[in-house]
Structures are given as C-alpha cells and as structure tokens.
Amino acid sequence: MIRKLEPIVGEWYRDYAEQRLFEVVALDEDDDRIDIQYADGDVLELDRAGWNDLRLSFAPPPETDYDSPRADNGLDSELTADDWHDDHGGLELDDY
C-alpha cells in the first residue's frame, strides 16, 4: 500500500517511482533535511517537499551486506576478552 509516511531514522522504505529500497539515516527538522541511503550505498539529501513527493511504503531491510553509516563507527566490533583488560599504560590510580 502506498501512502504518505513520516521519515523515521533507522526505518526502511520502498520508493515505488525508483523501485529501490532505502533507509532514513538522519533527520534534521530544524534544517528541514532528511538523509536517506539506498541499499546500494547511494546517499541522498531531501527536504520535506521532496520527501512528500515520494511514493512510499514501509519495507523490510534488504537481505544483502548493506553497510549502514550508523554501523560503521570505525571501531573493531570483534572484541575478545583480552580487549577488556587494558592496563592503561601502567598508570597508577594516583595518576588520575
């Protein structure tokens, strides 16, 4: 069903005109900006009027190796038990 939907960060939508899936990755109501990222990685910035022109429905996330910018924080997600036991360079408690 195609209807007017509000943008929700983290939610997936199907754009029927483009026949593409995208996720809302940022929303700035003060600047009237909605950032979306298509499943293929393309990023687009829309204003409210551009959003309202879209023919949308909610959609499940794609079953691909989609790389969300929210998931790519530059940190190693493969932590081991040793990663949690840092001696902080040998600093003594009195050094803090």
Side-chain angles (χ1 to χ4, degrees), residues 77-93:
S77 61
E78 300 291 327
L79 296 177
T80 65
D82 292 333
D83 295 325
W84 295 98
H85 302 289
D86 185 2
D87 67 358
H88 302 290
L91 295 175
E92 297 296 323
L93 187 56

Side-chain angles (χ1 to χ4, degrees), residues 66-79:
Y66 170 71
D67 189 19
S68 171
R70 293 180 297 118
D72 182 20
N73 57 13
L75 300 175
D76 183 6
S77 61
E78 300 291 327
L79 296 177

Side-chain angles (χ1 to χ4, degrees), residues 14-88:
R14 174 176 302 284
D15 179 348
Y16 282 92
E18 296 285 326
Q19 288 299 308
R20 295 170 78 186
L21 294 176
F22 69 85
E23 177 187 16
V24 174
V25 295
L27 177 62
D28 187 336
E29 293 181 17
D30 293 334
D31 290 336
D32 190 33
R33 189 186 82 228
I34 303 159
D35 295 339
I36 65 173
Q37 182 171 12
Y38 289 98
D40 63 8
D42 291 344
V43 177
L44 180 65
E45 181 179 303
L46 300 168
D47 60 11
R48 180 56 75 161
W51 174 267
N52 289 336
D53 288 341
L54 298 175
R55 296 177 48 222
L56 302 174
S57 67
F58 286 111
E63 295 182 17
T64 63
D65 291 333
Y66 170 71
D67 189 19
S68 171
R70 293 180 297 118
D72 182 20
N73 57 13
L75 300 175
D76 183 6
S77 61
E78 300 291 327
L79 296 177
T80 65
D82 292 333
D83 295 325
W84 295 98
H85 302 289
D86 185 2
D87 67 358
H88 302 290

Side-chain angles (χ1 to χ4, degrees), residues 1-20:
M1 172 187 231
I2 300 170
R3 55 192 162 157
K4 294 297 176 197
L5 301 173
E6 289 298 313
I8 301 170
V9 173
E11 191 65 53
W12 282 88
Y13 301 84
R14 174 176 302 284
D15 179 348
Y16 282 92
E18 296 285 326
Q19 288 299 308
R20 295 170 78 186

